[in-house]
Amino acid sequence: MTMVNLTLNGKQVSADVPDNTLLVTFIRETMGLTGTHVGCDTSQCGACVVHVDGESLKSCTMLAAGAEGASVTTIEGIADGDSLHPMQQAFHENHGLQCGFCTPGMVMSAIELVQDNPNPSETEIREGLEGNICRCTGYHNIVKSVQAGAKMMGG
Amino acid sequence: MHHTTYMKAGNTDDAVARMADGGQLLAGGMTLIPTMKQRLANPETLVDLAGCGLAGIEDQGDSIRIGAMTRHADVAGSDLVRGAIPALAALAGGIGDRQVRNRGTIGGSVANNDPSACYPAAVLGLGGTVHTDRRDIAADDFFTGMFETALDEDEMITAVSFPKTGKAAYVKFPNPASRYAMVGVFVASAVDGTRVAVTGAGSDGVFRHAGMEAALDAGFSAGSLDGITVDADEMISDIHASGDYRAHLVREIAKRAVAAC
Ligand SMILES: Cc1cc2nc3c(=O)[nH]c(=O)nc-3n(C[C@H](O)[C@H](O)[C@H](O)COP(=O)(O)OP(=O)(O)OC[C@H]3O[C@@H](n4cnc5c(N)ncnc54)[C@H](O)[C@@H]3O)c2cc1C
Ligand code: FES
Ligand code: FES
């Protein structure tokens, strides 16, 4: 067992977990935040993307113990009270989701993308979201959402 | 995933000592953790290198030295690498996806020597050197077969260095699902002549193509490769592409790489 201490959506949390606990398991099962999804076991789908110290990562491919002392942000941590994060709002307004399974990862990846590149082109958005797979939308409205989200975030 | 014991190494000596006790090194985990999840690897002890201070990129005059724990995203974004060996920065920026590049490291990639990985093509194509806790290994001696390297059982990569050259290019034909190379060719003008390294295709892993190198030394243009044949029997043949298809792709992708130099 390993004692893991980290900041999760701004709150200090700790738990004693088996050493092989993945960060996504820690988030979903130990901390009960099920917004972060698991869509594959090959590290390819991106449904599990969270931010660790401000960078997007696949939480299914990192051990919780490796996030010791880090600041982790999940989809539950980005809204400001009742008002959605601009990127969430943009997905909502542009029909950027159908079943919604990929959406938490898409939104977390899209936020990092826009933080790095406030005014991304369609190609840059498609390339920037290579690590996120969606089985429903055909990506068209996701690209539109990210463009709208980028504007709302101030790009 | 089977049970494992996690520990952090404080420095290189500590990591090597723990490896000698049977521990397996954990770098970015972008290969090792998926393999553990599929129960294809079941290390009893994982030795995390994150705290070993092995990340960083240094200008060494004629060459660039990249610490083993330097992530693909940091190589792709480095002004030093982009200026001195743009092809290397572009290669790192084309590995997997953003989230893979935010974790995966050069040391892990080179140690793993996946037959479809990108970095081995750069190390071999540029004629780089792999530095370990005990010696320096020239690229030509390092990659010894599919997933095989010259590393001893308890030997650890500490850095990889690359001679500077502006005349180099890497072109990858990615597998659309995994983004690994179905064929990738790194062409570089090195001090000892042109080097052509091919990844993704060879059934023994990354290799140099002597015929292409000689043709390019005689005349450096994509057209020089027109008459070259690549042996389909030495190619990987799998669900993604037959050996014949890969052999054909190797020459075509090499021509694109030459044109991009
Ligand atoms: C979805 C996806 C797409 C990918 N696409 C590509 C791609 O297009 N091109 C590509 O090249 N790669 C690709 N990769 C692989 C990626 O680049 C990995 O990061 C890399 O192969 C392994 O590096 P790592 O730091 O993650 O190593 P780890 O997974 O931590 O370790 C890999 C192996 O190397 C050993 N090791 C690690 N560090 C050292 C060291 N310093 N010395 C000795 N041994 C060491 C470990 O014990 C382990 O056996 C992809 C991976 C994923 C998940
Ligand atoms: S669950 Fe698919 S990449 Fe993490
Ligand atoms: S909305 Fe269903 S997977 Fe993307």
Side-chain angles (χ1 to χ4, degrees):
Chain A
M1 303 289 277
T2 294
M3 192 66 180
V4 176
N5 309 282
L6 50 81
T7 309
L8 185 58
N9 296 329
K11 273 206 290 274
Q12 196 61 46
V13 300
S14 341
D16 200 20
V17 294
D19 289 18
N20 64 357
T21 305
L22 297 169
L23 180 58
V24 71
T25 313
F26 183 88
I27 292 168
R28 286 178 57 86
E29 294 174 20
T30 314
M31 294 298 148
L33 293 181
T34 54
T36 303
H37 293 165
V38 176
C40 72
D41 59 8
T42 50
S43 307
Q44 285 175 320
C45 77
C48 62
V49 171
V50 301
H51 291 186
V52 175
D53 292 333
E55 288 182 316
S56 68
L57 299 176
K58 293 178 179 173
S59 61
C60 73
T61 315
M62 175 169 183
L63 294 175
E68 171 70 26
S71 172
V72 178
T73 307
T74 70
I75 190 74
E76 288 92 344
I78 59 172
D80 182 9
D82 283 342
S83 46
L84 293 178
H85 185 281
M87 192 59 77
Q88 289 174 303
Q89 187 67 32
F91 270 70
H92 174 59
E93 286 171 10
N94 291 279
H95 199 56
L97 58 144
Q98 289 180 24
C99 80
F101 197 83
C102 70
T103 316
M106 284 286 177
V107 169
M108 297 311 283
S109 293
I111 291 173
E112 188 192 48
L113 190 157
V114 171
Q115 279 166 352
D116 283 0
N117 179 356
N119 211 342
S121 67
E122 174 177 344
T123 308
E124 286 168 337
I125 293 172
R126 289 185 185 274
E127 283 178 357
L129 295 179
E130 267 170 352
N132 296 80
I133 294 175
C134 175
R135 298 193 66 171
C136 302
T137 61
Y139 301 97
H140 191 73
N141 285 349
I142 291 178
V143 174
K144 248 171 79 181
S145 303
V146 177
Q147 280 168 330
K151 284 211 183 74
M152 289 158 74
M153 283 170 69
Chain B
M1 196 154 120
H2 286 290
H3 182 70
T4 188
T5 302
Y6 172 90
M7 50 182 70
K8 282 195 165 90
N11 55 47
T12 301
D13 290 347
D14 185 19
V16 171
R18 290 172 194 259
M19 247 205 292
D21 290 340
Q24 177 156 13
L25 301 182
L26 174 68
M30 296 309 297
T31 292
L32 185 52
I33 292 182
T35 316
M36 288 175 68
K37 286 202 288 187
Q38 287 164 30
R39 302 193 173 198
L40 296 171
N42 304 301
E44 263 173 45
T45 309
L46 279 179
V47 182
D48 191 341
L49 300 181
C52 285
L54 289 174
I57 304 176
E58 274 169 51
D59 191 342
Q60 306 228 305
D62 292 340
S63 66
I64 292 180
R65 183 183 169 108
I66 303 180
M69 286 297 288
T70 312
R71 306 172 311 164
H72 310 329
D74 296 323
V75 173
S78 153
D79 288 337
L80 176 59
V81 182
R82 283 155 77 144
I85 318 174
L88 182 62
L91 173 144
I95 292 177
D97 52 59
R98 175 62 192 244
Q99 291 70 38
V100 168
R101 296 192 290 275
N102 277 346
R103 290 291 290 171
T105 68
I106 189 168
S109 178
V110 171
N112 200 44
N113 193 18
D114 186 305
S116 306
C118 300
Y119 264 127
V123 179
L124 194 60
L126 287 165
T129 305
V130 179
H131 306 283
T132 78
D133 61 284
R134 60 200 68 166
R135 56 184 168 150
D136 297 336
I137 309 173
D140 286 320
D141 301 325
F142 184 80
F143 302 102
T144 53
M146 195 182 267
F147 294 111
E148 299 284 337
T149 67
L151 290 174
D152 291 336
E153 201 74 11
D154 63 343
E155 186 170 10
M156 174 176 152
I157 298 178
T158 51
V160 182
S161 47
F162 298 92
K164 291 182 183 173
T165 171
K167 196 170 170 191
Y170 176 67
V171 175
K172 156 164 97 160
F173 187 94
N175 175 308
S178 74
R179 321 214 72 81
Y180 274 95
M182 198 129 88
V183 167
V185 182
F186 200 103
V187 175
S189 202
V191 259
D192 56 350
T194 304
R195 295 173 71 101
V196 178
V198 180
T199 188
S203 46
D204 286 331
V206 69
F207 66 94
R208 285 173 68 185
H209 196 287
M212 292 198 205
E213 293 179 352
L216 292 169
D217 277 335
F220 195 89
S221 78
S224 304
L225 300 182
D226 280 335
I228 295 290
T229 49
V230 178
D231 190 349
D233 290 341
E234 290 175 8
M235 298 292 106
I236 301 171
S237 203
D238 61 13
I239 179 179
H240 305 300
S242 67
D244 283 333
Y245 184 70
R246 277 199 170 83
H248 176 76
L249 263 185
V250 168
R251 192 182 64 204
E252 288 311 305
I253 298 296
K255 286 169 73 173
R256 289 185 206 174
V258 171
C261 272

